[in-house]
Amino acid sequence: MINDGILLLEDGVFGIIPSAPCAKSLQSLIKQGVTVYALIDDVKARGIEAKSAVNIQLIDYDKFVQLTIDYRRVQSWY
């Protein structure tokens, strides 16, 4: 079982839109057992509808902090 997670934040949240270039890759990762999260404040700030987040968990800042505790390693790409 894969115990990895990806958090989309800032402009990365555009990835939840089904027509986004990375959407198919994200859905493929989800099928493999990777949990994908998106920061709800960033989704709202960019005018993206929450219902676009198919199989993606929308989270707040409290959950963001919890993820840093729940996962053993944290890597950031900007």
Side-chain angles (χ1 to χ4, degrees), residues 1-6 25-37 55 57 71:
M1 179 178 165
I2 295 176
N3 189 24
D4 290 332
I6 296 173
S25 296
L26 286 174
Q27 292 301 320
S28 176
L29 289 170
I30 291 167
K31 288 178 184 175
Q32 295 175 47
V34 175
T35 306
V36 178
Y37 306 91
N55 300 319
Q57 296 182 38
Y71 286 92

Side-chain angles (χ1 to χ4, degrees), residues 25-67:
S25 296
L26 286 174
Q27 292 301 320
S28 176
L29 289 170
I30 291 167
K31 288 178 184 175
Q32 295 175 47
V34 175
T35 306
V36 178
Y37 306 91
L39 196 59
I40 188 68
D41 287 349
D42 289 343
V43 170
K44 289 178 183 177
R46 284 152 182 82
I48 302 170
E49 292 189 32
K51 67 181 178 181
S52 297
V54 178
N55 300 319
I56 296 173
Q57 296 182 38
L58 300 177
I59 64 168
D60 60 15
Y61 281 101
D62 288 339
K63 179 65 177 177
F64 181 1
V65 173
Q66 187 61 47
L67 290 176

